[in-house]
Each structure stands twice: as C-alpha cells, then as structure tokens.
Amino acid sequence: MDTDLSSQDRKDLDKFIKFFALKTVQVIVQARLGEKICTRSSSSPTGSDWFNLAIKDIPEVTHEAKKALAGQLPAVGRSMCVEISLKTSEGDSMELEIWCLEMNEKCDKEIKVSYTVYNRLSLLLKSLLAITRVTPAYRLSRKQGHEYVILYRIYFGEVQLSGLGEGFQTVRVGTVGTPLGTITLSCAYRINLAFMSTRTTGEDNGATYPSVEDSQEVCTTSFSTSPPSQLSSSRLSYQPAALGVGSADMGYPVIFAGGLNAAHPHQLIVPGKEGGIPPVLSQPAHGTQADHERMAMCTPLDGALYSAATPSSSEDTETVSNSSEGKSGSPHDLLETIFVRKVGAFVNKPINQVTMASLDIPFAMFAPKNVELEDNDPMVNPPDSPDVESPLQGSLHSEGSSGSSTGNTHDDFVMVDFKPAFSKDDILPMDLGTFYREFQNPPQLSSLSIDIGAQSMAEDLDSLPEKLAVHEKNVREFDAFVETLQ
Amino acid sequence: MNCRSEVLEVSVEGRQIEEAMLAVLHTVLLHRSTGKFHYKKEGTYSIGTVGTQDVDCDFIDFTYARVSSEELDRALRKAVGEFKDALRNSGSDGIGQISLEFYQKKKSRWPFSDECIPWEVWTIKVNVVNLVSEQERQICREKVGEKLCEKLINIVEVMNRHEYLPKMPTQSEVDNVFDTSLKDVQPYLYKISYQITDSLGSSVTTTMRRLIKDTLAL
C-alpha cells in the first residue's frame, strides 16, 4: 500500500528499481559479448556509479532497455526479460536463455528503502555478475565469431519461456523485498541443444524432423574450450536431453535447434574469434530469413568426425541442390567447401613434380608445354580423381588458370594470379610469383612419388649388393668410428 | 548470535587446486566487499565503487568474476598457495580443507584483548585426485568446471538469503567490522586458515592464520 511509503521513499524506490533494471540488462548483455569484462575499483565515489559497482553503460543497450520499458517499471505481471539467443552464419537461431526481472506481491513494509534495499540490490547485481559466467551460454558466447553470434532482445510484459525447448533449467539469482513487492531475478536456460531444421516451414521448435535423429546420431562435439575434449566428448551425444542432475549441468550434446526469432534480435558482435561449431552444421541453408551471408564453415577436428557427418551431409547436399533456387551460389559453395575438406591440399603436387622433374630442367613443370609430354601429364589424364573434383576444378580453373601456369590446369592455389612487383618474364616463363608458389612448401620426398620413386627404387635395389660389398670392406673404419662415439 | 557455516566440497586434480579455491573465495569476497567508506562530518558516509574483472582458469573450463583489487587477489593467492603446498606435501592422500571466516572485533576492556567473533564461515573441503591419462585430465577439466558452476550457484543462493550481516559501523567502529587496509575496496574482516588430513585419517592441524589486524599483539 502506497500510503505507508513516504513520497520520498517512493521516488527513491522507483529510481532504484529503474536503474537496477538498466544495470541488470547491461551486466547480462556485456557478459554475452564474448570478451572478458574488466572495470576498475575506485576508492573515491564518483557519484555516477549506481549501487557502488563499476558497470559500464553501453549506450545502445541502455537505449534498447529504455525503449522496452517505455517509462514503466517491472511490476506484478509486468516483467522485464532479456532474451539471449544464438544465430548461426546460415541464419538458424535458437534461444539460449531468458533472464527475468519480476516483481511479486509479497511486500516488506519494514525495510528501509534508501539503505537496505539499495544495498541488497547491489548484492543482487554482484550475484548476477557471478551467475552470468556460470550458465552454459557464457562459454558459447566466449567462442562466438565466424560461425555464430549471440544476440539479445529485451521485452517487457509476460515471460515467454516456450522458445527454450524441453526440460530447460532455472537458476534463481536472488530476491530483494521492497515495500512495493519482492523483486526476483532469475534465469531460465536451455539444456537441449538438439538442432531442428525448422527453417523451411518456420514452425516452432517443438516440431521434429527426420534430420533431427540423423544429426543426433552424428553429434560430435560439445563446446568445451580445449580441442582434445572434443574428441572425448562424443560419448556425450547419447545422453538424454533432459538432464535433471544439476542446475548448471553442461553435459549436453551440442547440435542446434533452429528457432526463428519473431522479433528482431540485436546483435553485438565482437569479431575475430573461432567458434567450435561441429561440421554437422553444414545442413541445408533454407533460411527463410533473407540471409545471404555465407560464412566459411569450420574445419572438422579430424577425419573421423567428418566422416561421421557424411551421411547427413550427403543427404543435405541433395536437398540443397534441389531446393535452393534462390541461392544460386550456395550449393556450389557447399560442394566447394566439402571438397576442400575431403581432399587435402597439394595432393597432386608430387605428381606434377615427378613427371616434369624427369626432364631434368629446373622448374620443369612450368616449362612450355610440349605435345609429347601430354600423355605423361597427369593433369590431362588425372589418375584416380574422384568425380566430385570435376565441378570444383571448373571453379578453380576459372580463378587460377590465368598467367604463369600454362599447361598446369590443376593449380594448387585457388587464388588470383600472383604478380609480384618488379618481376618480369624471363626466358623460362617462370617468374617470381610462380617461383614463390612453387617453393612455398617443401617438396615431396622423391621416394614417395610414383614414377621416379619406382625407378629409383629399382635402381636402389640393384645397386644394393655393390654397396654392401663396399661397406663390408670398410668395416674396420666403421668400428673405429663407433668406438670414438662411446 | 550464531555463526553461519557453509561447507562446500570439491574433488580436483593437483594443478586445479589453486584455481578452484580462488574461484570460490573470490566469489564469496565479491559479495562480502564494498567500496571504501568515506565518512563525512555529519556522521554520514559515502561509498567508493567496486570494479570487477573476469578470470579465465587455465586448468579448468571455468571463468569467474572477482573484485578488481590486486591487493586482495595477492592476499588470496598467497593463502591458497600455502594451502596447496601443504596439501601436496602431505602425501598421496590429498584431503584438506580451507576456511574463510568473516568476523567482527569486539573491543574488550583492558587487560583483556579484543575478541574475534565469527559471523560467517565458508569451508571448502578438497579432495585431490591423481589422474594418469590425458583423456582423464580432459574430462576432469570439464567436470570440475561444471562442479564449480554448481558451487557458485550455491554460494549465491546463501548470499541472497539476506541473513545476518554486521551493522554498518560508525567511523570509530569501522575497523571492527571491515578490513580498511586495502586501498581500493573494503571487505568485511576475514581470515583464512586451513587443515590438512594426513593419510592416517587424523587431523594434523597445520593452521595458518592470516591476521588482518594484529589482534594478539594488542
């Protein structure tokens, strides 16, 4: 009842609640930026640090919070909520957490507003600082970058928890009693990160698709920071989704559920971080959102993980090619990136060197292409090339075939012709750029290459008896040498 | 007034001891520290600002927020370092506990020295495990991280019960309630002690006291 509260106290309380709400939003959003937060303690009070805590105010966030509040304060039935969601580079999104600042009717009339309530709100903010680092979304947010970003959305009114999937957990940060009601701060967070491709139909997360089961079978990693754990945690893929063990249990398989955010989430991106998204995310990008940003997909951790994902991805590439009329570039990109992973770079390089090196001229592979060499040229008659190479070769050629590599259609580098400054074509059409590319990596061992290897192997075997005879003659020298070593 | 006692238990690998202890102790002290008090003539006071910073653990998949005070961090690291050394030197059993006690000083008349009356004690029981393979260590990293998350939630829950806290002191009494020796923050008076259990199971009390004010010398 307001009559029990003096007008000054009432004003103070309203101000405290308002700034508490704004600071709460700042703490939550800043904790999901993906960076470590650091603010300085100051012994002399500046007067502008609410609740005696150094919490920076990001203007955009304050603006959004004020817009959501629209001059109101959290009250019974009117809660302030901060929704944290994840959005992948392909346009899939999923709600991760809902932070709720609620007010209930339980009043504490005796409490002193200007002192006790203020200090308890300060304590609650400290608790929030601690808890925001503890929920599963924190580790996800620290690794956001190219593969996914973390978004926030502030809304005021009824709390909507349906987007969190089944079996979400709740953690209560704390409560503060006031004469107007009890303020409660809590977080509901998703624990079921199963990926459901709802993008085509735009249905709720509750719908399941066949691809869900496939992807659950091939679930590979959890978001642990250190790479070795990603191999050992494949065992986590068979844990039940609803983990009732602990309130902060992070042992869940991380395969994404595609949810669509109805509103427009806001995004604070901190660029330049590598994410830990498993390759299973190379699912068809039927984004209903017009998201044409095709960010590079991550590389698989090892061959085993990638091959596990192959069954679903092959199915996916079919659907991609069938349905992505609107995105002409994307299936090609998909194939291209898959190809890059399947065949290691420079795989054909030794073959190049072998056939041309037999000519015994330096940089022979870049020599003018002679007709008689064509038969030996593995580029013309590629040995055992997988079928999927051909479309890729097409794309590679279009980019890299100009310039110095005259007959060398199977360029190792997918890049535009490298023309270094001050270089000019000499008698041999070998310029600095080609030289650089050629010798950027150490050459393959000749014994590992096919033809020359075979030839020299035969020669080696023939010469072996002679060599042995010579060595046997020099046995004494060898023995003396060995003795000097001892 | 009874002293509130909270006990937490963790099982960690040897190299995780320090970080796990620091995470818990810093979280408790974050809640039990205020800005520096500046008393004014009228008997009121203003309070300084407490900053926070995130700390990533190297051996545990965990990050925690602590008070931005190098002095406080140094004091805790020193205490935890001594605890860790004692634990490692005690033998292969590796069970011990470290306690963070918040107390108030009650001035007594001469010739009696001041009393230290604890009002809250946090005890962390540590069980050190030895792991052999790298895979086990990796799993331990994650598991201990998860456990620490649970512990922090427990700590926050206790803190928000809003149970007894010493009354805000007048200027003359402030040193009986708060540690005013730090230049940037002001935690409640605290001391850290530890106990190591040897392999025989008996408690070999190797107690280290970190005294904020030299109460015994008064």
Side-chain angles (χ1 to χ4, degrees), chain B residues 75-94:
Chain B
L76 289 188
R77 280 181 187 273
K78 183 162 178 276
V80 166
E82 289 174 15
F83 172 63
K84 184 198 89 172
D85 291 339
L87 206 53
R88 300 295 277 267
N89 295 336
S90 70
S92 60
D93 198 53

Side-chain angles (χ1 to χ4, degrees), chain A residues 33-35 142 144-146 148-149 268-274:
Chain A
L33 285 179
E35 287 181 329
R142 286 294 298 271
Q144 66 183 297
H146 302 296
Y148 64 94
V149 288
L268 284 170
I269 303 180
V270 177
K273 288 205 184 46
E274 291 306 314

Side-chain angles (χ1 to χ4, degrees), chain A residues 36-39 41-43 45 49 52 54 115 123 126-127 133-134 138-139 142 173 175 224-226 229, chain B residues 30-31 33 38 46-54 56 61-63 68 138 142 149 156 160 162 168 183:
Chain A
K36 292 202 292 189
I37 303 297
C38 180
T39 55
S41 302
S42 162
S43 66
D49 290 323
N52 309 118
Y115 172 69
L123 194 73
K126 290 173 182 171
S127 298
R133 276 77 178 153
V134 145
Y138 180 73
R139 300 214 75 79
R142 286 294 298 271
V173 182
T175 60
S224 183
T225 45
S226 39
S229 71
Chain B
L30 170 66
H31 289 81
S33 300
H38 296 274
S46 56
I47 309 178
T49 303
V50 172
T52 57
Q53 62 185 85
D54 290 331
D56 286 335
D61 288 346
F62 191 69
T63 303
S68 286
Q138 198 47 56
E142 296 167 24
C149 290
V156 160
N160 277 272
H162 302 301
M168 283 300 147
K183 65 176 193 296

Side-chain angles (χ1 to χ4, degrees), chain A residues 74-85:
Chain A
V76 179
R78 287 201 319 256
S79 309
M80 190 190 72
C81 301
V82 181
E83 176 193 290
I84 300 292
S85 57

Side-chain angles (χ1 to χ4, degrees), chain B:
Chain B
M1 173 249 325
N2 291 325
C3 172
R4 191 164 56 237
S5 174
E6 304 293 335
V7 180
L8 306 165
E9 286 192 49
V10 286
S11 286
V12 294
E13 216 197 338
R15 60 185 187 164
Q16 296 171 322
I17 297 172
E18 283 189 88
E19 287 179 336
M21 297 303 104
L22 284 171
V24 171
L25 295 176
H26 267 303
T27 301
V28 172
L29 276 164
L30 170 66
H31 289 81
R32 293 283 180 252
S33 300
T34 72
K36 295 285 288 179
F37 282 13
H38 296 274
Y39 286 92
K40 297 174 197 165
K41 285 178 194 161
E42 313 85 51
T44 58
Y45 59 92
S46 56
I47 309 178
T49 303
V50 172
T52 57
Q53 62 185 85
D54 290 331
V55 180
D56 286 335
C57 295
D58 293 326
F59 302 110
I60 313 173
D61 288 346
F62 191 69
T63 303
Y64 60 93
R66 68 164 175 89
V67 171
S68 286
S69 166
E70 293 312 312
E71 284 177 274
L72 186 62
D73 189 41
R74 267 200 302 272
L76 289 188
R77 280 181 187 273
K78 183 162 178 276
V80 166
E82 289 174 15
F83 172 63
K84 184 198 89 172
D85 291 339
L87 206 53
R88 300 295 277 267
N89 295 336
S90 70
S92 60
D93 198 53
I95 296 177
Q97 60 184 52
I98 187 167
S99 296
L100 172 62
E101 177 189 301
F102 292 102
Y103 65 96
Q104 271 180 269
K105 269 196 284 188
K106 191 174 160 193
K107 293 252 186 263
S108 302
R109 290 177 195 225
W110 182 89
F112 302 107
S113 57
D114 293 341
E115 278 181 83
C116 292
I117 306 171
W119 52 271
E120 189 175 74
V121 178
W122 295 85
T123 304
I124 312 164
K125 289 191 174 160
V126 180
N127 178 32
V128 182
V129 297
N130 287 318
L131 298 176
V132 177
S133 76
E134 191 53 42
Q135 188 166 4
E136 279 178 2
R137 286 204 188 98
Q138 198 47 56
I139 295 171
C140 189
R141 267 187 84 101
E142 296 167 24
K143 285 238 140 59
V144 172
E146 291 169 21
K147 272 291 162 195
L148 283 178
C149 290
E150 284 174 32
K151 299 304 162 196
L152 254 62
I153 292 176
N154 292 346
I155 293 170
V156 160
E157 194 198 352
V158 170
M159 295 296 182
N160 277 272
R161 284 184 208 151
H162 302 301
E163 290 167 341
Y164 174 80
L165 280 180
K167 273 200 296 209
M168 283 300 147
T170 58
Q171 192 168 9
S172 55
E173 299 276 298
V174 69
D175 289 328
N176 293 339
V177 175
F178 287 102
D179 173 7
T180 52
S181 65
L182 302 173
K183 65 176 193 296
D184 44 11
V185 293
Q186 192 173 287
Y188 282 102
L189 279 174
Y190 72 93
K191 56 179 118 169
I192 298 177
S193 58
Y194 61 82
Q195 276 186 333
I196 308 294
T197 312
D198 72 358
S199 49
L200 296 173
S202 61
S203 170
V204 177
T205 307
T206 319
T207 306
M208 184 275 304
R209 290 199 165 275
R210 188 216 185 275
L211 297 174
I212 309 303
K213 295 287 185 196
D214 200 4
T215 55
L216 297 175
L218 283 171

